[in-house]
């Protein structure tokens, strides 16, 4: 799939009709920047980690920003062995319409496996990546789940 054919997460959201807002800001990376630069509360921050399997399948893992991914649980949820899973290289994010610091659980590629930590189902409004490091999406967690249709598993260790 060519990069030009891939919609950015914001484009997917706009096309879906799901209500969301976008905050523009200086580029941020990680929890510290989100809390201190943007003033966002930890309990509303959703991080997305991007992985790739040895057979080139992308796996997106979305969980609260303070959580740590348990790789074995993620691999089981994604239907791959732990040995097949590696973190995606920063340059690979462009294949998903994303850039480093802007990883999002929203993606239009049908071959991407998306897994949300079960705790996301108990969250209300969340802030997540837009695909860009200088823009953050604000969306209701339940609407995000309905749009993405992820697998729901206990991912945090």
């Amino acid at each position: 799939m060519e990069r030009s054919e891939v919609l950015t997460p914001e484009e997917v959201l706009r096309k879906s009709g799901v209500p969301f807002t976008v905050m523009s800001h200086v580029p941020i990376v990680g929890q510290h920047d989100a809390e201190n630069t943007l003033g966002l509360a930890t309990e509303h921050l959703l991080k997305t980690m991007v992985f790739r399997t040895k057979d080139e399948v992308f796996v997106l893992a979305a969980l609260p920003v303070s959580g740590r991914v348990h790789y074995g649980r993620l691999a089981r949820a994604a239907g791959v062995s732990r040995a097949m899973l590696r973190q995606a290289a920063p340059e690979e994010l462009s294949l998903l319409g994303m850039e480093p610091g802007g990883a999002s659980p929203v993606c239009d590629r049908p071959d991407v496996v998306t897994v949300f930590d079960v705790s996301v189902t108990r969250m209300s409004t969340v802030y997540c990546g837009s695909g860009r490091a200088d823009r953050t999406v604000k969306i209701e967690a339940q609407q995000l789940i309905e749009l993405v249709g992820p697998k729901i598993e206990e991912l945090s260790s």
Side-chain angles (χ1 to χ4, degrees):
M1 179 177 276
E2 293 291 319
R3 164 65 186 105
S4 61
E5 296 176 23
V6 178
L7 296 177
T8 68
E10 277 190 63
E11 291 169 334
V12 174
L13 285 163
R14 277 194 295 278
K15 188 176 170 184
S16 76
V18 171
F20 71 100
T21 57
V22 174
M23 297 172 52
S24 293
H25 47 73
V26 298
I28 62 167
V29 178
Q31 179 178 349
H32 182 268
D33 282 353
E35 291 174 336
N36 297 309
T37 304
L38 302 182
L40 299 175
T42 301
E43 63 268 15
H44 295 287
L45 298 177
L46 188 65
K47 71 178 172 185
T48 303
M49 298 179 68
V50 182
F51 298 88
R52 202 150 190 208
T53 66
K54 289 184 180 176
D55 56 358
E56 305 299 305
V57 173
F58 282 101
V59 177
L60 303 178
L63 64 158
V65 73
S66 58
R68 293 180 50 119
V69 171
H70 186 285
Y71 284 68
R73 292 177 189 162
L74 175 61
R76 278 191 301 281
V80 299
S81 74
R82 169 62 185 99
M84 292 280 292
L85 202 58
R86 67 167 174 82
Q87 258 193 301
E91 61 274 9
E92 292 176 306
L93 297 182
S94 65
L95 299 171
L96 302 174
M98 301 177 203
E99 63 184 35
S104 175
V106 179
C107 184
D108 78 326
R109 283 183 54 155
D111 58 338
V112 171
V113 177
T114 305
V115 184
F116 279 23
D117 185 78
V118 68
S119 63
V120 178
T121 65
R122 297 184 295 273
M123 296 173 82
S124 56
T125 301
V126 296
Y127 294 88
C128 65
S130 68
R132 294 173 39 173
D134 64 350
R135 293 171 66 82
T136 297
V137 169
K138 177 183 177 185
I139 188 170
E140 291 300 316
Q142 200 53 48
Q143 291 181 322
L144 180 63
I145 291 167
E146 289 171 17
L147 171 65
V148 173
K151 296 179 180 191
I152 308 281
E153 298 290 339
E154 182 74 41
L155 292 181
S156 296
S157 56

